[in-house]
């Protein structure tokens, strides 16, 4: 029997500032943010079911994505979704691509909101629809803002006391300084603790090769050493340290090339970089099928992004889930009920249908955009 049709009747966007608990977050190239500008999408249907999504670029200078662009892009894409069945995710994505070529981050909040509706209308949590919940929970990493080596070591010690066992150091400054940072932190870790040095593309090729040689005796992963794929691949071919690729893996063709070249051991998959859960799931499944582990996360976000991450992470086989992170704990503002909270460095996905979170509109305020 055919299901009852469902149609999108209205799309709204909200803007919310998410100040950082630590005051600022610093990474390579002198980049820093103190507060994140996040966009929440609400998708209404004629069935009475509504879905919610979120996109939160890490400032305007991290990826080709920025907060005002997300909202402008949603205004451009949303009219093409009115009347579409939100549960038909491939059609939803085709409609968005027809309205706006590229700009995957713009589409991410809308795609997530449609997944939320699919889950609610089928009475299943997204983790079930994305493949099933593997075990009770999964491990988190903590990103450590770039600072003096001793400050970063103190920060790692503090988060280790809170239960985290995986740490991602923001490096990509000078080789000497970054080696100091890696050594200062690793000295205080124990066997089984995981250390990643993430340059966010901040080293030139020769710097990255020197860095990799200087830490060849240390148990550390090197993440996105250089800005381009080709430079990072050159580093990969000259180091024994495991390599994680992040910013350059922005599509299926980029991923398949990386797999073919054996360019990385782990992929850092950010939901909005590839355009939402529909495409993130495709990349996740391709990685798992190819034996590549994943960090599953996003550029940033609050309660809704954290829930979306949790569902995709929880439905990933544990042997391939390298780590994920709980962005809602990095910021001082909560705007939805039911978002996952970490316990002892681990997290689990909500068990309610859909994303399992309920936005608090008293916190979100009035929409900045309404399309019907
Ligand atoms: Mg990274």
């Amino acid at each position: 029997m055919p299901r009852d049709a469902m149609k999108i009747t209205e799309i709204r966007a909200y803007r919310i500032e998410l100040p950082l608990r630590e005051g600022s977050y610093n990474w390579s190239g002198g980049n820093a943010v103190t507060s994140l500008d996040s966009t929440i999408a609400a998708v209404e249907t004629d069935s009475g079911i509504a879905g919610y999504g979120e996109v939160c670029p890490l400032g305007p200078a991290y990826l080709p994505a920025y907060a005002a662009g997300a909202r402008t892009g949603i205004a451009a894409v949303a009219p093409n979704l009115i009347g579409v069945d939100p549960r038909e995710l491939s059609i939803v994505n085709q409609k968005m691509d027809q309205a706006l070529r590229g700009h995957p981050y713009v589409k991410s909040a809308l795609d997530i909101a449609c997944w939320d509706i699919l889950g609610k209308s089928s009475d299943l949590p997204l983790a079930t629809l994305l493949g099933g919940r593997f075990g009770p929970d999964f491990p988190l990493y903590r990103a450590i803002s770039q600072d003096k080596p001793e400050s970063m070591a103190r920060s790692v010690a503090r988060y280790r006391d809170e239960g985290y066992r995986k740490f991602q150091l923001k490096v990509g400054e000078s080789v000497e300084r970054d080696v100091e940072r890696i050594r200062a932190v690793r000295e205080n870790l124990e066997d089984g603790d995981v250390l990643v040095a993430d340059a966010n593309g901040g080293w030139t090729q020769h710097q990255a090769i020197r860095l990799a040689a200087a830490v060849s005796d240390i148990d550390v992963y090197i993440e996105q050493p250089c800005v381009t794929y080709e430079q990072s691949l050159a580093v990969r071919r000259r180091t024994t340290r495991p390599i994680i690729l992040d910013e350059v893996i922005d599509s299926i063709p980029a991923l398949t090339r990386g797999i073919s070249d054996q360019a990385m051991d782990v992929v850092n998959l950010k939901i909005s970089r590839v355009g939402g859960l529909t495409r993130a799931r495709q990349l996740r499944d391709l990685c798992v099928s190819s034996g590549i582990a994943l960090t599953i996360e996003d550029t940033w976000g609050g309660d809704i992004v954290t829930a979306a991450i949790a569902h995709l992470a929880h439905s990933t086989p544990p042997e391939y889930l390298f780590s994920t992170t709980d962005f809602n704990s990095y910021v001082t503002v909560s705007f939805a009920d039911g978002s996952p909270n970490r316990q002892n460095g681990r997290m689990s996905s909500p068990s309610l249908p859909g994303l399992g979170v309920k936005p608090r509109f008293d916190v979100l305020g009035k929409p900045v955009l309404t399309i019907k």
Side-chain angles (χ1 to χ4, degrees), residues 14-86:
Y14 298 81
R15 176 185 179 178
I16 188 158
E17 278 292 324
L18 304 175
L20 287 167
R21 206 171 281 280
E22 286 189 2
S24 80
Y25 180 75
N26 314 320
W27 70 99
S28 65
N31 286 290
V33 293
T34 56
S35 179
L36 285 306
D37 178 345
S38 196
T39 300
I40 313 305
V43 175
E44 301 283 347
T45 66
D46 60 356
S47 71
I49 296 174
Y52 305 101
E54 180 183 9
V55 58
C56 185
L58 177 54
Y62 169 58
L63 286 177
Y66 68 112
R71 292 183 284 269
T72 303
I74 287 171
V77 165
N80 225 31
L81 292 181
I82 301 296
V84 172
D85 189 330

Side-chain angles (χ1 to χ4, degrees), residues 168 170 198 200 223 246-247 268 270:
Q168 187 201 73
K170 290 295 155 186
D198 186 1
N200 295 101
E223 180 163 334
D246 182 345
E247 286 84 3
N268 183 320
K270 293 185 163 75

Side-chain angles (χ1 to χ4, degrees), residues 151-166:
S151 304
M152 292 176 83
R154 274 197 301 275
S155 183
V156 166
R158 191 171 70 247
Y159 287 117
R160 199 175 184 284
D161 285 345
E162 291 184 19
Y164 291 97
R165 290 293 179 270
K166 295 173 185 248

Side-chain angles (χ1 to χ4, degrees), residues 216-272:
S216 63
D217 62 321
I218 302 177
D219 184 6
V220 62
Y221 291 73
I222 296 174
E223 180 163 334
Q224 195 66 52
C226 304
V227 72
T228 69
Y229 174 81
E230 289 77 9
Q231 293 158 8
S232 299
L233 181 61
V235 176
R236 153 67 156 193
R237 287 178 171 156
R238 292 170 65 174
T239 177
T240 54
R241 299 304 85 196
I243 294 285
I244 303 173
L245 289 184
D246 182 345
E247 286 84 3
V248 295
I249 305 296
D250 57 0
S251 63
I252 297 259
L255 175 60
T256 53
R257 183 181 175 201
I259 292 168
S260 170
D261 290 341
Q262 297 191 18
M264 70 277 162
D265 306 288
V266 181
V267 163
N268 183 320
L269 177 60
K270 293 185 163 75
I271 293 172
S272 66

